[in-house]
Amino acid sequence: MRHNKTINHLGRQASHRKALMANMAASLILHKRINTTLAKAKALRTFVEPIITKSKDDSTHSRRMVFAYLKNKEAVIELFREVAPKIADRPGGYCRILKTGFRQGDGAETCFIELVDFNAEYSQNGGAAKKSGSAAAGKGRTRRAGSGAKKTATAAAEASTAAEATSAAAEATEATVEAAAPVAE
């Protein structure tokens, strides 16, 4: 029976699982976003969030503790230099899991796991700018039947203008070639 056993073994021995988590955590810290299966992402989130919390205190002891988990010097440097200052005021929840569908070969559910403060589309500052820009650009969009005709007419007018400009450029090129041809003879 597995009463009160909360860890997902991921079908691996303990040493293989620890190495897998260390490698995935280092990749997540270095690249800020990785693509993996949902089960591994959930296990990685519980592995990496306490490590990120330890990185808020930049001391020799915390660096050594984090290195004991990650076993990757570049990832530790990146964590303390780039990630920790950005998440200093966040009380937790440093990772986000975005489901992406099912893998072709075995049907495993895949997802992206990413660090929350490093995605401009979802962060408060980047998201607000993106929303205001898209709201301004999409203000005239409606789903009425008549509005499509106006867009089609405008697109046709722009296409004919572009075609006229292209033909004018072609005529200018031909005139240049004809003018240069007698000089070459």
Side-chain angles (χ1 to χ4, degrees):
M1 285 186 264
R2 59 176 307 274
H3 296 306
N4 295 328
K5 311 277 192 221
T6 57
I7 186 170
N8 186 351
H9 294 289
L10 300 173
R12 289 162 171 81
Q13 301 289 326
S15 59
H16 187 184
R17 191 170 51 250
K18 287 177 187 174
L20 173 76
M21 288 295 118
N23 287 332
M24 288 179 65
S27 295
L28 178 64
I29 290 166
L30 290 173
H31 301 293
K32 311 300 187 269
R33 177 185 224 195
I34 59 174
N35 189 12
T36 185
T37 63
L38 186 62
K40 286 180 189 174
K42 287 180 178 180
L44 179 63
R45 182 172 51 187
T46 62
F47 180 82
V48 80
E49 289 201 352
I51 293 172
I52 295 174
T53 301
K54 285 181 180 71
S55 74
K56 288 182 177 183
D57 175 33
D58 191 4
S59 65
T60 305
H61 177 68
S62 63
R63 280 182 181 263
R64 287 177 178 164
M65 293 297 292
V66 167
F67 183 75
Y69 285 105
L70 293 181
K71 301 169 183 65
N72 186 333
K73 191 183 292 186
E74 290 81 20
V76 173
I77 291 168
E78 178 80 12
L79 178 63
F80 280 91
R81 203 174 277 166
E82 303 292 328
V83 177
K86 230 173 174 180
I87 53 100
D89 57 341
R90 183 177 286 277
Y94 312 112
C95 298
R96 174 186 299 122
I97 294 176
L98 302 168
K99 295 180 182 178
T100 57
F102 297 93
R103 195 161 52 196
Q104 182 70 29
D106 60 354
E109 191 169 5
T110 59
C111 65
F112 280 114
I113 180 167
E114 64 185 7
L115 296 176
V116 171
D117 291 327
F118 289 90
N119 190 341
E121 293 178 5
Y122 288 104
S123 67
Q124 293 176 353
N125 298 339
K130 186 170 178 126
K131 286 179 185 173
S132 64
S134 65
K139 184 172 171 113
R141 289 180 32 182
T142 61
R143 301 196 97 187
R144 296 187 190 122
S147 63
K150 292 177 188 174
K151 290 180 186 176
T152 306
T154 306
E158 289 176 5
S160 63
T161 307
E164 291 171 0
T166 305
S167 63
E171 290 175 15
T173 305
E174 289 176 9
T176 306
V177 170
E178 290 174 5
V183 175
E185 293 177 344

